Amino acid sequence: MTKTTSPIEKLIEHALDEDMPSGDITTDSLGVPEQWGRARLIAKEDLVLSGMLFFEAVMRKLEPQADISWQFTEGQFVVSGQTVGTLSGNLVQILKAERVALNFIGHLSGVATLTRCFVAKTVGTRCKILDTRKTLPGLRIFEKQAVVHGGGENHRMNLSDAILIKENHIRMMGGIRKAVNSIRSRSALPIEVEVTNLDEVKESLALKVDRLLLDNMSAEEIKKALEFVPSSVKTEASGNMTLDRISEVAATGVDYISVGALTHSAPTADFSLQFDWSEAGNNG
């Protein structure tokens, strides 16, 4: 029977092959086959933890006997300087895995941390923060999990998940009405339409669509649009959604704000893996 490789395993194998196509020639050339001891994963800044599964999987790929103990769970807030987890095993192999493991957990924790910052700007409103499909190829499902860890919610996972008529669909069909009617003739799924002005809002509402994506509108334009939107139609604001704008936009009464920056512009969270070489020995 053929063994099925999970998405995490595929990504890790690719990442390790990328980092060590012919081994770690520095560590290998030191001629130390085993050095048993402990290491600590330290947060070097305040962050929201995400990516623990990747960190563990990378470590155990190179050091199957690694013992990993976590002091936090995914989605928890970690203060700078705190120990996130401890590892014990062959430190030679853990050293080889260090950068790839930190790259994964740093990126995903960065997404979770940035999401938390956006969510904090919506406190006191009903507005929810959504992600988008602006993700790194191969990492979408994990980046979207990181968004949830940060307190956000997921928009559609992929193009197969939901119908969203955007600008190019409208242009291709020659108008919103033609696009909506064409889809309705072939599908009974809910329809969301991207609109950019009040006329398009009114036209879409007349077609009884299920959701509106208010694209690149100012807060005042959003407020005006919402005056015409019944409670049965959900609204989503999108376009140039920075931290400076979120509070104002959320206060308009919009249901959702989708933010591409959560995944395409999140800074990497800073971690350090500190090895305790003083207690290391050559025998397990």
Side-chain angles (χ1 to χ4, degrees):
M1 182 179 293
T2 304
K3 181 182 177 181
T4 302
T5 304
S6 71
I8 285 182
E9 290 173 327
K10 289 179 181 178
L11 284 166
I12 287 172
E13 287 176 2
H14 176 74
L16 289 171
D17 285 344
E18 179 181 64
D19 203 40
M20 296 188 295
S22 301
D24 177 356
I25 61 174
T26 304
T27 303
D28 291 341
S29 296
L30 293 173
V32 181
E34 294 181 349
Q35 192 82 2
W36 294 82
R38 294 182 298 176
R40 292 188 303 147
L41 180 64
I42 308 293
K44 297 185 70 177
E45 63 179 325
D46 295 349
L47 56 87
V48 177
L49 183 61
S50 185
M52 289 167 52
L53 289 178
F54 272 101
F55 187 89
E56 287 191 11
V58 171
M59 288 298 169
R60 292 205 168 101
K61 183 72 174 179
L62 293 187
E63 168 49 317
Q65 298 183 64
D67 182 22
I68 304 173
S69 176
W70 295 97
Q71 274 67 62
F72 295 88
T73 58
E74 290 185 308
Q76 284 191 307
F77 185 73
V78 183
V79 176
S80 178
Q82 287 186 305
T83 297
V84 179
T86 58
L87 304 84
S88 61
N90 182 359
L91 297 184
V92 174
Q93 292 301 103
I94 291 174
L95 178 61
K96 293 178 181 181
E98 176 187 20
R99 177 40 51 199
V100 171
L102 291 180
N103 284 348
F104 278 121
I105 199 170
H107 172 63
L108 295 174
S109 294
V111 171
T113 303
L114 183 60
T115 301
R116 185 179 190 270
C117 294
F118 275 89
V119 170
K121 296 287 188 178
T122 67
V123 172
T125 74
R126 69 179 186 182
C127 185
K128 305 295 183 183
I129 296 295
L130 300 178
D131 54 24
T132 70
R133 288 170 38 248
K134 296 177 182 178
T135 56
L136 289 174
L139 278 176
R140 176 173 296 171
I141 185 173
F142 308 108
E143 290 179 334
K144 283 181 171 281
Q145 285 175 350
V147 167
V148 173
H149 291 152
E153 296 185 5
N154 296 147
H155 204 303
R156 57 180 179 167
M157 186 65 67
N158 50 56
L159 291 176
S160 302
D161 261 1
I163 292 174
L164 171 52
I165 301 174
K166 303 191 76 174
E167 178 186 9
N168 282 324
H169 300 121
I170 294 169
R171 289 186 175 183
M172 179 168 59
M173 294 302 297
I176 292 175
R177 180 176 296 276
K178 288 183 179 180
V180 170
N181 289 339
S182 182
I183 286 176
R184 283 216 172 113
S185 70
R186 296 171 174 83
S187 173
L189 290 173
I191 295 176
E192 180 176 7
V193 178
E194 178 183 86
V195 293
T196 59
N197 56 57
L198 195 55
D199 288 340
E200 291 179 350
V201 169
K202 292 178 179 179
E203 181 180 5
S204 298
L205 291 175
L207 293 168
K208 299 188 183 302
V209 301
D210 302 277
R211 184 160 163 166
L212 294 177
L213 190 160
L214 310 173
D215 188 49
N216 280 305
M217 290 187 179
S218 68
E220 287 303 314
E221 289 173 324
I222 292 172
K223 285 181 183 179
K224 186 65 176 178
L226 292 179
E227 293 177 7
F228 297 89
V229 180
S231 59
S232 59
V233 176
K234 296 297 182 182
T235 54
E236 170 191 345
S238 183
N240 191 32
M241 290 299 169
T242 63
L243 280 170
D244 291 338
R245 288 193 67 205
I246 293 299
S247 294
E248 182 185 20
V249 175
T252 64
V254 71
D255 295 298
Y256 303 100
I257 299 175
S258 54
V259 185
L262 300 183
T263 49
H264 72 58
S265 296
T268 298
D270 196 4
F271 291 90
S272 174
L273 191 59
Q274 296 182 2
F275 293 80
D276 190 352
W277 297 107
S278 63
E279 295 185 4
N282 291 325
N283 296 310

